[in-house]
Amino acid sequence: QRPVALALPPCLLPSDNRMPKDTSKPDKAPARFVTMEHMKSRGQHFLANPLIIQAIVDKADIRPTDIVLEIGPGAGALTAKLLEKAKKVIAIELDSRWAAELHKRFSIGATANNIQIINQDVLKIDLPFFDVCVANLPYQISAPITNKLLMHRPQFRSAVLMYQREFAMRLCAKPGDELYCRLSVNTGLLAEVQHLIKVGKNNFKPPPKVESSVVRITPRSSPPPINFLEWDGLVRLCFGRKNKTLGAIFRQKDVIDILRSNYITHSAMGDEAGGGGPKRKGKGRGEEKMEEDGAGDLSTEEAKELILSVLEETELSDQRSAKLDVDHFLGLLNAFNVKGFHFT
């Protein structure tokens, strides 16, 4: 029996005997795709170049046993590549819309047991244990998240992070470089920083207004046993006027007054504990002025002499902060502490 061909009714048959064109509009994408706008206020510039994504993953040197922390995963382009390499990925995403998308994409199937998605502000939570951090960071939190990572314990092995180009170059800057600053010194105290990749703005969606760079941060195995708040106080003071000599900075009256006040405070705390500050022989010059000021047992003139003696002993009086490395600042902090001066 021959098959019967079905014919269109005459009213639907085109005059030229061709099938009619489909003039109906295609269905719109689901609403969740339509409303998923990138929030520039949160630094949502997602990396869109797969070659750059792969290069970042390769530079991270991820081992099969590693737990990887990703900050700001967004749509999950980098997350997918990290899951191919790591034992587990912990993704911290502030935006609940993108966190939901990550759940839909990765929490079902083969990757379900290898990912943990945390929908919170990374700056307001305690970081979990991880071996490696890989992230395209929102640029407005670059400084606080870098500090949080460096202070995290137990230490991680390394972090491969995307920053705004200028911020990245400040992290990597060495003494004498134009961009060498307080950030460079504070980071250098706790870690080694290496510039890895320059990334143009057109590799992002939507493109940011600035160029970017990827750096590797490797924490030092044994950070120096110092008071980090006091360290930051010294470095902040020196880099507030980084092109002046240290001698000029520490001769200023407001600086002398701050150090003198801290000296007296720490000496009083030491006396209460049965210790006390460094002992000075006899009465120095300005003792009568000291009594008038009611400033304990150190006059302004004595404080100035002691401060300048520290600079002479360390041979740093004629040096500028922009030329000094971490070891210089460590030596200077120790010399001031020995004399009883503190920066907090």
Side-chain angles (χ1 to χ4, degrees), residues 7 15 35 57 68 129 159 210 224 229-231 242 255 269 279 309:
S15 58
T35 58
V57 174
V68 176
F129 171 84
V210 296
L229 291 177
E230 188 163 2
W231 161 270
K242 73 173 186 177
V255 174
M269 292 171 61
K279 306 301 181 184
S309 72

Side-chain angles (χ1 to χ4, degrees), residues 205-224:
K205 188 177 182 180
K209 295 180 180 180
V210 296
E211 303 294 326
S212 304
S213 282
V214 179
V215 306
R216 178 187 289 116
I217 297 177
T218 306
R220 300 188 187 280
S221 57
S222 54

Side-chain angles (χ1 to χ4, degrees), residues 106 153 188 217 266:
F106 299 114
R153 297 295 181 272
I217 297 177
H266 281 267

Side-chain angles (χ1 to χ4, degrees), residues 170 173-174 176-182 184 235-246 249 319-324 329:
R170 289 181 184 277
K174 305 299 180 185
D177 292 349
E178 182 180 355
L179 292 178
Y180 188 64
C181 61
R182 185 166 64 94
S184 315
V235 175
R236 186 187 298 272
L237 175 63
C238 293
F239 276 92
R241 310 167 178 90
K242 73 173 186 177
N243 291 318
K244 287 189 173 184
T245 65
L246 295 187
I249 293 172
Q319 298 296 317
R320 290 172 169 78
S321 301
K323 306 290 184 180
L324 302 180
F329 286 108

Side-chain angles (χ1 to χ4, degrees), residues 6-15 20:
L6 298 177
L8 285 173
C11 62
L12 297 180
L13 189 64
S15 58

